[in-house]
Amino acid sequence: MRKNLVIAAIGVVMMAAVLGGCGKKKDEADPTLTPTVTPTLTPTPVVTQEPEKTPSEVLSDILTKVKDVYGENYRPRMAYDENVYKEVMEIDSSLYDAAIGEGPMMSVHVEAFAGFHATEGNAEALKEAVMAYQDKLKNDTLQYPMNIPIIQASVVEAVGDYVFFYMLGGLDTTDLTDLTQEERIQAWTEANKSASNVIHEVLGE
């Protein structure tokens, strides 16, 4: 009989334990558990960088912008090639790795534009070669009188490894007949400044 009472008492205790566990609220947090937090990842912005332009592309951009600036007053129409640089301008091909240029279709005109990118270490030598060509034109006594002020106002400009020669403007020479030679040269000098502005704008100098 006593044995049966002990067994019954144990059963009551176990039942109470079970009922007590079931009585917990389902939404009651277990203090022993640490909640898992998923971090929010911020996507890294992708920066697209334009590829650096080659010297040939830079020179082409400059010539295109020069033409746009002068519009109908841009007179050179004949594209230069290596023969012009070598035979006419007398510039050694080893001094540059990119070049672009245009000159007049007829010998009666002289307006022109040429740009070069020097090979490594040859920027100064290239500039001197272009200046020698400029001096040759200025000292040519067989030039048409109307072209002398244009040639005298011609520009050799070096910006970094780039060297340019140009005489532009598209001025009407009949409008300059009443001016002195010095005033005509000054007029063409002013007209050349638009090309210089383009060169510095494109090259960021």
Side-chain angles (χ1 to χ4, degrees):
M1 184 70 166
R2 185 176 295 176
K3 182 178 180 181
N4 290 337
L5 289 174
V6 172
I7 293 172
I10 293 173
V12 171
V13 172
M14 290 179 63
M15 182 64 70
V18 170
L19 291 174
C22 292
K24 286 186 180 179
K25 294 180 180 179
K26 290 184 179 180
D27 59 351
E28 186 178 341
D30 189 337
T32 62
L33 298 178
T34 303
T36 302
V37 178
T38 304
T40 302
L41 299 178
T42 303
T44 303
V46 178
V47 179
T48 304
Q49 211 170 22
E50 291 186 8
E52 187 174 348
K53 291 186 177 182
T54 65
S56 292
E57 291 172 331
V58 172
L59 290 173
S60 180
D61 285 350
I62 289 173
L63 180 55
T64 298
K65 290 180 181 295
V66 166
K67 288 181 177 181
D68 289 342
V69 166
Y70 286 98
E72 294 180 356
N73 291 328
Y74 180 85
R75 288 179 180 158
R77 292 291 183 269
M78 183 183 71
Y80 285 166
D81 57 20
E82 288 189 10
N83 288 330
V84 174
Y85 305 135
K86 181 180 179 180
E87 303 297 333
V88 178
M89 301 185 73
E90 298 180 351
I91 299 175
D92 195 298
S93 60
S94 66
L95 298 179
Y96 63 90
D97 53 17
I100 196 169
E102 292 183 343
M105 294 290 291
M106 298 180 292
S107 59
V108 68
H109 298 300
V110 293
E111 289 179 69
F113 178 91
F116 304 87
H117 180 261
T119 49
E120 187 174 355
N122 285 320
E124 189 60 33
L126 177 60
K127 179 182 177 181
E128 291 176 359
V130 176
M131 290 179 67
Y133 171 67
Q134 181 190 41
D135 289 341
K136 179 181 176 182
L137 289 179
K138 287 183 175 182
N139 295 324
D140 186 354
T141 58
L142 299 178
Q143 296 288 351
Y144 289 97
M146 66 179 183
N147 289 331
I148 292 177
I150 305 175
I151 295 171
Q152 294 300 316
S154 63
V155 179
V156 174
E157 187 167 7
V159 181
D161 290 333
Y162 291 87
V163 180
F164 301 89
F165 170 80
Y166 52 90
M167 39 187 175
L168 300 169
L171 300 180
D172 189 341
T173 55
T174 58
D175 294 338
L176 307 177
T177 52
D178 294 334
L179 301 180
T180 65
Q181 188 78 323
E182 288 74 17
E183 289 173 332
R184 294 177 190 176
I185 293 173
Q186 183 59 33
W188 286 99
T189 299
E190 289 297 319
N192 276 320
K193 289 182 179 179
S194 295
S196 181
N197 292 338
V198 168
I199 290 169
H200 286 273
E201 175 190 340
V202 174
L203 295 179
E205 297 285 347

